[in-house]
Amino acid sequence: MENSKKGKCPFHHGANTETHNSVMDKWPNALNLDILHQHDTKTNPLGVSFNYAEEFKKLDLEALKNDLKKLMTESQDWWPADWGHYGGLMVRMAWHSAGTYRLADGRGGANTGNQRFAPLNSWPDNVNLDKARRLLWPIKKKYGNKISWADLFILAGNMAYESMGFKTFGFAGGREDIWHPEKDIYWGGEKEWLAKSRYSNSTESESLENPLAAVQMGLIYVNPEGVDGKPDPLKTAKDVRTTFKRMAMNDEETVALTAGGHTIGKAHGNGDASILGSNPEGADLETQGFGWMNPKGKGNAEDTVSSGLEGAWTTTPDKWNHTYFHLLLNYEWELKKSPAGAWQWEPINIKEEDKPLDAHVKGKRRNPMMTDADMAMKIDPEYKKISEKFYKDPKYFEEVFARAWFKLTHRDLGPKSRYLGADAPKVDLIWQDPIPTVDYKLTDSEIEELKTKLLNCGLSRTELINTAWDSARTFRGSDYRGGANGARIRLAPQKDWEGNEPKRLEKVLNKLTEIQNGLSKKVSIADLIVLGGNAAIEKAAQDAGINIKVPFSAGRGDAAQEMTDVESFAVLEPIHDGYRNWLKKDYAVKPEELLLDRTQLLGLTAPEMTALIGGMRVLGTNYSGTKHGVFTDKEGILSNDFFVNITDMNYSWKPVSDNLYNIVDRKSGAIKWTATRVDLVFGSNSVLRSYAEVYAQDDNKEKFVKDFATAWTKVMNADRYDLKK
């Protein structure tokens, strides 16, 4: 960069226009509050009034599907299709869009169309997917706002399969595009692509850093050449099992997806990978977003270099077929090097008729190949059993693959209530976290009557508030799981989670069930939980001299245990909750960072986080009744005392341990209160302090209460998709 400026007129413009010139570069450990304020309306060219669901309803879905099928066989000179069919490329694009999903935090996946942006658009594993997206542009241009890029990627993958003879399980729209890269997703701490540093124990696949779900930076799953690039199918099988499990797939789904994904298309490695041009994000202006340009030969077609492996997996890679298992199981395979120098497996003494035709050279047949992960489907004992079952029963394989492909591409779309379009399957699938619909409505007078019952039932206001919060705090805006709807806090595994204080929870649920049984009209426990919290907050505000109504919308259902996948829900268990000032144990990550992560998943802004923390503290909602951060002499009243006292210079703050502080009167030296890092960050962080000062002002007592109630309602209704359409 510096060299390019030599000989030019010196001029330093006033704006920071390059990312490495961030104003916070000197303080790299500062809290990244930006993750709470991304995807602001200022970045969205469609404006605040744009409603994607309404636009999607105007879409001629059948016409779009037909256009996509037509696209598959319209080979373009600038990027010729393998065997005259773009199916393999489009499936890979859709797969790699969805395949970034990870179960641990729900981040990644197909839901946002983020493959258009860095780092994903330039991942080594996404080589040449820029070409797939550019091939789709004429169709996106034609249908415009009625179809998002995110939805189009997945639909293109479906239509690729269907144009090649496979019937998919269905398609649901509803993925809304983002307009810049996500700032919240931790893709790994490596400073270089494909580094080998995300395991605490290099010999143990389970030691992969949580929540990451790929073995190396820049890969979707595993290294196709083998662990650390060294072929060993048994070792690779361990990595495959770990990574697919972290993406919510079991062994059968893993084998089905591997086989179904590799039934069509080919890998590209006919050339020298070291001479490829820069990735899209690092390429020169004149490339116009194209990356990985090959300067040798045609630069495409038979001279394409993507993964570095070279060849197809099946005999007819442009058609859906059942030759994957036939070739894998019936031939012996040996290690070979591709023209690009990558390790791959090729068959020994293969029949000529089992060889696929060359993708671009007419009449020439080539050896098929398998990656180390493919060989794992044969060498690993459990995977082999499944492979043999699929081989013997192709119809069963097709059914499992269709469902697994649908799960892969829709896992982060959330419950069925968010699905758009006539092609969405009507069946309930357990991984969708189904919730029964309710058929009752509550009048204003009935709601008020219920609130009175709840406040006078013998439960404390704190018990009501904590139960409502614990029920709702599981929500993740990443994959739209969790939340208060369904009242799964009553069921395994949630009822037994340490963070839910099981004894207190059981007491509250028993009382709410007693109230429910005494009602003349059926009301769900889920609604009663939320309404109880709302009623307690209204009373706490009233005691502070401020009358408010916390908005309440009935309509939550109560899920049953058989609708709840215990293993799948286990990942939602909180191991911390800054809002209730709780840590399950000490972690390497600072408590205030954990708070930020939870806040982002809840979809809250920094001011909303601030208001909630301040309110929760004075309401006495701390886990197990601890008094850390309860900066008030009027606990249980919704006052702004937390902010008044944390900004008061009559006090100083003395560390006791890594996560415990005494708040000391400067004059007397007497300990006034105790606090954690999560409390004190609202006085130490300059941005958070600016919000705390607003709420500490004498003229903002009412504003604080109203802002708290608004933020509270946002959390309680986070999973009420019926209210957002």
Side-chain angles (χ1 to χ4, degrees), residues 433 481 488 493-494 497 564-572:
D433 305 339
R481 299 190 70 206
R488 284 190 164 90
Q494 295 191 34
W497 287 346
T564 304
D565 185 338
V566 173
E567 185 179 1
S568 176
F569 267 95
V571 299
L572 298 185

Side-chain angles (χ1 to χ4, degrees), residues 50 147 165 205 288 290 332 466 493 522 548 571 590 603 607 674:
F50 177 75
I147 184 79
S205 63
Q288 289 291 283
F290 267 7
E332 294 299 316
N466 285 349
K522 179 75 172 179
I548 58 165
V571 299
K590 294 192 282 291
T674 57

Side-chain angles (χ1 to χ4, degrees), residues 591-625:
E592 60 270 31
E593 294 178 81
L594 294 171
L595 169 68
L596 207 59
D597 178 72
R598 170 54 48 193
T599 299
Q600 195 277 329
L601 288 172
L602 285 169
L604 297 169
T605 66
E608 289 167 337
M609 172 180 73
T610 304
L612 278 170
I613 288 284
M616 296 283 277
R617 291 296 185 271
V618 297
L619 290 171
T621 62
N622 280 356
Y623 181 87
S624 199

Side-chain angles (χ1 to χ4, degrees), residues 66-348:
N66 287 331
D67 280 350
L68 284 167
K69 288 178 182 178
K70 187 179 176 186
L71 165 75
M72 300 299 161
T73 54
E74 292 181 337
S75 185
Q76 303 295 317
D77 290 342
W78 59 266
W79 197 259
D82 298 330
W83 301 281
H85 202 297
Y86 287 118
L89 179 64
M90 293 298 167
V91 165
R92 180 168 163 252
M93 175 195 64
W95 187 308
H96 284 220
S97 175
T100 58
Y101 174 78
R102 66 257 189 130
L103 189 61
D105 61 359
R107 293 186 172 98
N111 208 26
T112 61
N114 60 2
Q115 196 187 85
R116 297 177 294 153
F117 306 117
L120 293 155
N121 69 355
S122 297
W123 271 12
D125 221 5
N126 288 340
V127 173
N128 290 325
L129 291 182
D130 51 340
K131 318 307 188 297
R133 296 189 295 273
R134 201 61 61 87
L135 285 164
L136 279 181
W137 166 239
I139 290 179
K140 177 67 171 91
K141 181 174 180 288
K142 176 180 177 179
Y143 289 91
N145 297 336
K146 298 180 188 68
I147 184 79
S148 65
W149 276 109
D151 276 345
L152 189 59
F153 292 161
I154 301 306
L155 186 59
N158 271 27
M159 292 305 101
Y161 272 121
E162 298 211 352
S163 71
M164 298 167 89
F166 179 75
K167 179 62 178 170
T168 62
F169 193 71
F171 166 80
R175 303 166 186 82
E176 293 194 50
D177 288 332
I178 57 174
W179 298 97
H180 62 76
E182 294 115 325
K183 299 177 182 179
D184 57 293
I185 302 182
Y186 173 70
W187 293 117
E190 305 99 315
K191 300 300 183 187
E192 59 184 73
W193 299 122
L194 309 181
K196 305 170 185 175
S197 57
R198 43 176 75 187
Y199 291 87
S200 57
N201 182 342
S202 60
T203 62
E204 181 52 62
S205 63
E206 292 291 339
S207 69
L208 177 62
E209 185 183 355
N210 214 19
L212 301 176
V215 299
Q216 289 174 286
M217 166 76 80
L219 293 181
I220 298 296
Y221 303 106
V222 301
N223 190 325
E225 296 184 70
V227 178
D228 296 334
K230 300 170 186 173
D232 186 333
L234 277 176
K235 278 189 176 180
T236 291
K238 291 182 179 180
D239 272 0
V240 169
R241 188 166 276 112
T242 297
T243 55
F244 272 72
K245 184 180 180 182
R246 289 192 172 192
M247 296 179 195
M249 299 295 173
N250 61 29
D251 277 2
E252 192 173 61
E253 291 166 328
T254 300
V255 178
L257 284 169
T258 302
H262 290 171
T263 292
I264 46 86
K266 71 182 291 285
H268 299 85
N270 192 22
D272 184 356
S274 68
I275 64 173
L276 294 183
S278 297
N279 58 51
E281 206 64 22
D284 291 330
L285 284 174
E286 62 270 20
T287 67
Q288 289 291 283
F290 267 7
W292 304 289
M293 303 302 287
N294 186 1
K296 291 293 182 71
K298 294 181 181 178
N300 52 42
E302 64 266 34
D303 296 315
T304 302
V305 179
S306 294
S307 67
L309 284 73
E310 172 60 30
W313 292 267
T314 61
T315 307
T316 52
D318 59 336
K319 300 179 182 67
W320 179 261
N321 62 85
H322 293 106
T323 59
Y324 177 88
F325 291 116
H326 165 68
L327 297 178
L328 179 68
L329 298 173
N330 291 329
Y331 285 106
E332 294 299 316
W333 296 76
E334 62 182 345
L335 274 171
K336 293 281 186 78
K337 281 285 186 85
S338 76
W343 285 114
Q344 59 189 50
W345 295 82
E346 295 185 24
I348 300 170

